[in-house]
């Protein structure tokens, strides 16, 4: 389109060094923090190669840019971790050049993958995660659009270190100082089905709403993988179709006022006017560890005022009860990193646990496996962190979630009791394949099977596969010998999903980050025994 | 004086170890999420799109935070479509902007853009191997070796 042509022209203009080196063909991805272009370049070896040019938003801090580059140069280039070819800069415009890997849209292939392909996909994802975790990188935004997959070539690449953070002993020098923190990109829902109390107004007279984060808005996180998916209408963990109002989320989840400029009304009080100046727009802050401590006590505008007006740390009787009062609501909010994509955030991220480890990436990998096994993507669809947590509860159990949260110092109250789901049953029902293999009882985490205390819609057999299977059976009568083989190819292994798959899924979706399986351990899991390459 | 929640499902969080330190955050839902097996593949079982929604959940949750509120700040049901203006937060200048292009042209940002702050980036670039050859320049037919970063 004309818009993209213009963008390409502007890019050449901003970074003139690109002019004779790259033929920029098209824009292949756009996020809040970068745009990615497909280009060709002539190499000294004589061949022409496809490249991905990632143009970072010029508001990115040099430290963030450098940290992303360092992740690519140090950890990238092997074990399915994207590497970097070169990097061009002119003033505040930085373009990272990476080898281009043509890749599938996860959503398009999700329900045509064979079970064996799923095994290979996960194995290769863990290889990438093992590598980055070895360097002490927490990716923070592991999801299909950041894990490029070329089905034909069986090539994989974990991309986008724009949100990465370092572990305390990280080997990435620049991640020691630079912290990408919870950032930006909230979004108001047009039709909120939830009332979120996160950031209840801090002053008695202030409006009460706070910005909610958008549901699965990859674009508002800092992600712009080399994928086209974000340009689809929001089913790819990308822009949420029903949500378009980027309202700012303050960087630390503090001072969120759900006041959108357009909500400003003539008759509003001065307070409102004041607050509408604090509109949340996509924002992020780069903070050093030192700064983080400082920021905890800093807020702005009305929030700061309120914070100083209200004595902090007063005890009240609401703790671990289903109540709130003006005392506990006057306290400041806890600050914890929460950048990432909503449906992929681990429980410890959703509950603002201040110490987050590489285990959060393993949870995200578990969510990917859950999608692969259930044929659903995105699996979780929540507009805010607590809705996301409630959805996790419906799969993993409310009591179990509450218990696990206690281990990392969070008290969760939930009025609804929902049981743990049997992962096999859950995935097979959602996928519409019923396993013919004998299930070993007592395997896996489950106790109850779909005994939801909730108004679950009548279970209509809405699975075309089931029908397909029956037809296959009919055919097998007619076709004799070749039939068994044919059935197997037809089912692509989905009729014989081993218990190991669900055992691994259970270990990835461990609610307790301390016991959650690591990438290194996952590669040794029986699920991957005798994997072919 | 504590205020009871409205009678509906909710999830709440408080900081356990330091129960008096942080503000709790909580959520009330008209209905608790549930796994809807009848949503067709590949959609999320939590999909609330009208097409698949089994229950109407269009309730505008104004019950939110009624506590302490003297007036509801009235979230309109409709927002205007997002404008072309890209707002955001500039990490370089440490400030929010209403329009990206305008901010990038501001003196403050220009100064930062031309500063030595980017040395940390250049240091990494200097270690990279440049392996490109310039395409033939159509105007002159000469091969140009493009100099890299400034």
């Amino acid at each position: 389109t004309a818009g993209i042509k213009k963008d390409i022209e502007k890019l050449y203009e901003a970074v003139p060094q690109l002019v004779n080196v790259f033929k920029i063909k098209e824009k292949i991805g756009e996020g809040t923090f970068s745009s990615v272009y497909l280009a060709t370049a002539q190499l000294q070896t004589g061949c022409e190669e496809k490249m991905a040019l990632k143009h970072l938003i010029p508001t990115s801090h040099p430290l963030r840019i450098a940290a992303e580059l360092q992740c690519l140069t140090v950890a990238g280039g092997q074990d399915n971790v994207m590497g970097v070819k070169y990097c061009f800069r002119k003033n505040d415009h930085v373009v990272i050049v990476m080898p281009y890997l043509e890749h599938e849209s996860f959503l398009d292939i999700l329900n045509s993958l064979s079970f064996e392909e799923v095994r290979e996909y996960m194995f290769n994802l863990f290889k990438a995660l093992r590598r980055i975790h070895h360097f002490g990188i927490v990716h923070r935004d592991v999801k299909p659009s950041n894990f490029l997959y070329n089905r034909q070539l069986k090539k994989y690449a974990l991309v986008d270190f724009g949100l990465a953070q370092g572990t305390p002993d990280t080997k990435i020098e620049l991640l020691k100082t630079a912290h990408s923190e919870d950032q930006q990109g909230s979004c108001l829902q047009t039709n909120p089905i939830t009332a979120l109390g996160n950031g209840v107004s801090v002053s008695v007279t202030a409006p009460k709403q706070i910005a909610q984060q958008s549901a699965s808005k990859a674009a508002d996180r800092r992600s712009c993988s080399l994928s086209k998916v974000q340009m689809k209408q929001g089913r790819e963990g990308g822009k949420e179709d029903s949500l378009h109002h980027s309202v700012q989320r303050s960087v630390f989840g503090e001072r969120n006022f759900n006041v959108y400029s357009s909500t400003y009304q003539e008759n509003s009080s001065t307070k409102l006017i004041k607050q509408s100046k604090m509109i949340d727009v996509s924002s992020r802050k780069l903070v050093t560890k030192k700064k983080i401590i400082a920021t905890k006590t800093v807020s702005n505008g009305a929030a700061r005022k309120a914070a100083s007006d209200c004595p902090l740390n007063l005890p009240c009787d609401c703790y671990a009860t289903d109540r709130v009062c003006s005392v506990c609501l006057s306290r400041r909010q806890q600050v914890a990193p929460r950048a990432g994509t909503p449906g992929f955030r681990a429980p410890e991220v959703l509950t603002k646990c201040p110490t987050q480890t590489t285990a959060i990436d393993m949870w995200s990998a578990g969510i990917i496996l859950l999608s692969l096994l259930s044929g659903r993507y995105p699996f979780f669809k929540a507009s805010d962190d607590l809705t996301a947590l409630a959805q996790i509860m419906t799969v993993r159990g409310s009591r179990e979630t509450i218990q696990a949260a206690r281990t990392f110092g969070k008290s969760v109250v939930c009025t609804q009791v929902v049981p743990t789901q049997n992962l096999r049953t859950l995935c097979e029902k959602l996928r519409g394949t019923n396993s013919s293999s004998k299930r070993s009882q007592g395997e896996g985490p489950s106790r109850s099977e779909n005994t939801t205390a909730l108004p679950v819609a009548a279970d209509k057999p809405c699975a075309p596969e089931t029908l397909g299977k029956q037809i296959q059976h009919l055919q097998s009568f007619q076709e004799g010998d070749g039939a068994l083989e044919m059935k197997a190819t037809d089912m692509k292994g989905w009729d014989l999903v081993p218990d190991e798959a669900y055992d691994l899924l259970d270990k990835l979706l461990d609610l307790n980050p301390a016991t959650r399986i690591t990438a290194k351990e996952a590669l040794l899991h029986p699920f991957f025994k005798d994997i072919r390459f | 004086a504590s205020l009871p929640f409205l009678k509906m499902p909710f999830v709440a969080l408080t900081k356990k170890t330091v129960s008096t330190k942080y503000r709790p955050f909580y959520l009330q839902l008209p209905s608790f999420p549930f796994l809807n097996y009848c949503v067709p593949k590949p959609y999320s079982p939590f999909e609330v799109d009208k097409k698949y929604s089994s229950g109407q959940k269009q309730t505008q949750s104004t019950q939110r935070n009624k506590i302490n509120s003297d007036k509801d700040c009235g979230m309109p049901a409709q927002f205007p479509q997002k404008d072309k203006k890209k707002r955001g937060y500039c990490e370089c200048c440490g400030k929010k902007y209403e329009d990206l292009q305008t901010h990038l042209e501001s003196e403050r940002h220009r100064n930062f853009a031309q500063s030595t702050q980017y040395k940390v980036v250049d240091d990494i670039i200097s270690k990279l191997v440049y392996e490109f050859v310039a395409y033939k320049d159509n105007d002159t037919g000469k091969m140009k070796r493009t100099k890299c970063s400034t």
Side-chain angles (χ1 to χ4, degrees), chain B residues 45-115:
Chain B
F46 300 99
E47 179 70 63
V48 288
D49 196 293
K50 291 168 203 70
K51 280 178 285 186
Y52 319 114
S53 178
S54 45
Q56 271 311 320
K57 293 180 178 181
Q58 304 297 313
T59 339
Q60 185 79 25
S61 303
T62 41
Q63 58 271 63
R64 169 198 322 201
N65 311 337
K66 269 278 202 271
I67 324 135
N68 285 349
S69 96
D70 55 352
K71 66 167 109 171
D72 202 76
C73 85
M75 241 170 47
Q78 287 286 304
F79 289 107
Q81 256 297 352
K82 54 168 181 280
D83 45 5
K84 281 299 283 177
K85 282 192 179 180
K86 289 186 185 159
R87 355 154 168 212
Y89 174 83
C90 180
E91 292 178 335
C92 304
C93 308
K95 60 181 282 206
K96 291 170 191 169
Y97 54 83
E98 285 301 306
D99 175 44
L100 177 63
Q101 210 45 47
T102 312
H103 176 76
L104 295 181
E105 289 159 14
S106 70
E107 193 183 352
R108 180 172 177 173
H109 188 85
R110 294 311 310 149
N111 285 341
F112 188 97
Q114 291 161 22
S115 73

Side-chain angles (χ1 to χ4, degrees), chain A residues 52 57 64 66 83 138 149 257 280 286 294 333 407 435 444 489 514 527 530:
Chain A
I57 191 168
R64 179 192 295 281
V138 184
Y149 170 43
F257 292 91
D280 266 352
L286 192 83
Q333 289 196 337
T407 65
S435 173
T489 49
F527 180 59
D530 58 55

Side-chain angles (χ1 to χ4, degrees), chain A residues 429-450:
Chain A
K429 274 176 91 173
L430 287 169
R431 176 173 263 285
T433 45
N434 286 312
S435 173
S436 54
S437 70
K438 283 265 186 295
R439 280 171 226 166
S440 36
Q441 285 303 315
E443 270 280 345
S446 58
R447 276 169 295 288
S448 52
E449 289 199 13
N450 304 314

Side-chain angles (χ1 to χ4, degrees), chain A residues 17 20-21 40-44 48 58-62 64 66 85-87 89 91-92 107 111 174 188 191-200 202 204-205 207-209 212 235 244-245 248 258 260 262-263 279 281-285 313 315 318-319 322-325 328-329 331-334 351 375-381 386-387 390-391 394 406 409 411-416 421 426 429-431 450 454-456 458-460 462 465, chain B residues 1-5 8-17 19-30 32-47 54 57-61 64-65 67-71 73-77 79-82 86-92 96-98 100 103-104 109-110 112-114 117-118 120-122 124-125 128-135 137 144-150:
Chain A
Q17 306 97 296
N20 292 305
V21 182
T40 57
Q42 195 86 41
L43 296 185
Q44 285 163 5
E48 188 180 69
T59 56
S60 305
H61 196 280
R64 179 192 295 281
K85 280 278 186 197
Y86 202 71
C87 180
R89 176 176 89 84
N91 296 338
D92 49 348
L107 193 59
N111 280 292
L174 287 161
L188 283 180
N191 49 352
I193 52 161
T194 60
L196 174 70
N198 176 5
V200 184
V202 287
V204 181
T205 47
K208 292 295 173 289
Q209 309 220 284
Q212 295 178 313
R235 295 195 307 183
H244 2 250
H245 328 292
Q248 161 188 40
N258 212 353
Y260 193 70
S262 64
T263 72
I279 295 295
V281 286
S282 286
S283 70
R284 50 183 179 154
K285 263 185 190 162
N313 302 351
C318 299
Y319 173 67
D322 56 0
R323 291 174 310 182
V324 289
C325 68
C328 61
L329 289 180
R331 297 183 200 128
R332 67 175 180 269
Q333 289 196 337
Q334 185 168 23
T351 57
R376 307 304 184 119
Y377 180 73
F379 190 91
F380 290 114
K381 212 168 181 239
L386 287 182
T387 301
Q391 289 180 359
T394 64
R406 205 171 294 138
S411 165
V412 178
V413 180
C414 177
T415 52
Q416 188 94 23
Q421 298 294 309
L426 169 82
K429 274 176 91 173
L430 287 169
R431 176 173 263 285
N450 304 314
L454 296 160
V456 179
D459 212 356
K460 287 186 292 236
C462 34
E465 285 86 343
Chain B
S2 295
L3 293 148
F5 274 92
M8 48 170 65
F10 74 97
V11 181
L13 283 154
T14 51
K15 175 85 178 145
K16 187 185 181 209
T17 44
S19 64
T20 60
K21 199 166 170 185
Y22 297 112
R23 191 191 310 161
F25 54 109
Y26 62 91
L27 165 84
Q28 298 174 70
L29 308 125
F32 203 78
F34 65 95
L35 282 154
N36 184 351
Y37 292 99
C38 282
V39 174
K41 281 200 293 184
Y43 298 103
S44 166
F46 300 99
E47 179 70 63
S54 45
K57 293 180 178 181
Q58 304 297 313
T59 339
Q60 185 79 25
S61 303
R64 169 198 322 201
N65 311 337
I67 324 135
N68 285 349
S69 96
D70 55 352
K71 66 167 109 171
C73 85
M75 241 170 47
F79 289 107
Q81 256 297 352
K82 54 168 181 280
K86 289 186 185 159
R87 355 154 168 212
Y89 174 83
C90 180
E91 292 178 335
C92 304
K96 291 170 191 169
Y97 54 83
E98 285 301 306
L100 177 63
H103 176 76
L104 295 181
H109 188 85
R110 294 311 310 149
F112 188 97
Q114 291 161 22
Q117 294 269 356
Y118 289 87
V120 63
V121 177
D122 295 341
I124 297 176
I125 293 177
L128 295 170
V129 181
Y130 183 87
E131 45 184 18
F132 304 109
V133 182
Y135 282 108
D137 193 320
K144 270 210 245 169
R145 266 303 288 273
T146 313
K147 277 276 169 285
C148 13
S149 69
T150 48

Side-chain angles (χ1 to χ4, degrees), chain A residues 442-489:
Chain A
E443 270 280 345
S446 58
R447 276 169 295 288
S448 52
E449 289 199 13
N450 304 314
T451 40
T452 328
L454 296 160
V456 179
D459 212 356
K460 287 186 292 236
C462 34
E465 285 86 343
T466 322
L467 188 64
K469 205 175 164 185
Q470 286 163 357
I471 291 167
Q472 276 301 326
H473 279 303
L474 281 176
Q475 284 177 334
S476 64
F477 281 118
Q478 292 153 9
E479 295 175 39
D481 278 345
L484 270 176
E485 194 186 332
M486 193 174 153
K487 175 177 176 269
T489 49

Side-chain angles (χ1 to χ4, degrees), chain A residues 187 190-191 214-217 232-245 378 381, chain B residues 43 47 49 51 81-82:
Chain A
C187 204
T190 28
N191 49 352
S214 72
S216 57
K217 215 169 165 283
K232 291 195 162 170
Q233 315 115 352
R235 295 195 307 183
E236 180 59 48
K239 276 225 192 308
E240 183 50 42
D241 11 17
S242 59
L243 310 166
H244 2 250
H245 328 292
K381 212 168 181 239
Chain B
Y43 298 103
E47 179 70 63
D49 196 293
K51 280 178 285 186
Q81 256 297 352
K82 54 168 181 280

